[in-house]
Amino acid sequence: MDYLAHFQGRFIGIMQWEDCHALFEKLSNNPNDWYLYNTSKVAPKTVVNANDFLDAINNIKKVIKSEHQERYCGIVYTNNLNNPDFVKIFHPNNLGKSCGSSENPLIPQWLLSKIKPIDIIKRFYLPPKKKGFISKYFKL
């Protein structure tokens, strides 16, 4: 399965804090062969080494703990609770409208995967083409 299909596939939302902590524990226990994609940066071309992955997980946990003061998690998603190989984590301060009605879907801040990523920002957030005056009268 390619990265985009995986990215758009089925994910399980982590609602309980205990489940979130358990997922991070599973990730920390298996720190090898992960691509760590911070979507505010360029998509990585290589997997991150285990120590850098563990540092990143700890930093993400700190951000979530300090910035997401909710009774529930709701910003972490995984494709598999028991054996995750793709995880989406949204930044607590960049949740925008979560109703899903936007033309541009909300993009996670961090994407952890065992599959080499593609540039998600380019894929979903190319600036709209400017339409000329006449286009408002015709469906162009």
Side-chain angles (χ1 to χ4, degrees):
M1 181 180 287
D2 72 355
Y3 189 82
L4 186 58
H6 216 75
F7 175 80
Q8 294 178 310
R10 183 180 174 276
F11 281 80
I12 302 159
I14 309 298
M15 295 305 291
Q16 303 300 318
W17 284 114
E18 300 82 33
D19 296 334
C20 185
H21 298 307
L23 175 64
F24 281 124
E25 186 69 26
K26 285 179 184 167
L27 297 173
S28 296
N29 289 336
N30 181 18
N32 296 308
D33 303 319
W34 285 96
Y35 288 93
L36 176 60
Y37 181 11
N38 180 335
T39 58
S40 67
K41 299 178 181 173
V42 175
K45 297 186 185 313
T46 59
V47 295
V48 65
N49 73 52
N51 288 332
D52 289 344
F53 181 77
L54 292 171
D55 288 345
I57 291 295
N58 287 327
N59 288 332
I60 292 168
K61 288 191 309 188
K62 286 178 190 173
V63 168
I64 291 173
K65 184 177 181 178
S66 68
E67 311 266 342
H68 193 58
Q69 302 295 319
E70 303 293 335
R71 292 185 325 223
Y72 56 89
C73 179
I75 60 173
V76 178
Y77 297 80
T78 185
N79 66 330
N80 187 315
L81 289 172
N82 297 319
N83 190 23
D85 64 5
F86 204 117
V87 178
K88 297 178 181 181
I89 305 168
F90 293 85
H91 194 289
N93 293 334
N94 191 25
L95 296 177
K97 294 179 181 175
S98 59
C99 64
S101 64
S102 173
E103 190 174 301
N104 293 324
L106 187 61
I107 295 293
Q109 180 72 48
W110 300 280
L111 296 167
L112 315 174
S113 68
K114 296 283 186 166
I115 301 169
K116 186 177 180 181
I118 62 167
D119 188 335
I120 293 298
I121 302 300
K122 252 188 212 175
R123 173 68 174 88
F124 288 105
Y125 288 93
L126 287 176
K129 293 180 182 177
K130 293 197 175 205
K131 294 183 178 182
F133 172 76
I134 195 103
S135 67
K136 69 179 176 182
Y137 298 107
F138 301 100
K139 295 196 183 248
L140 298 175

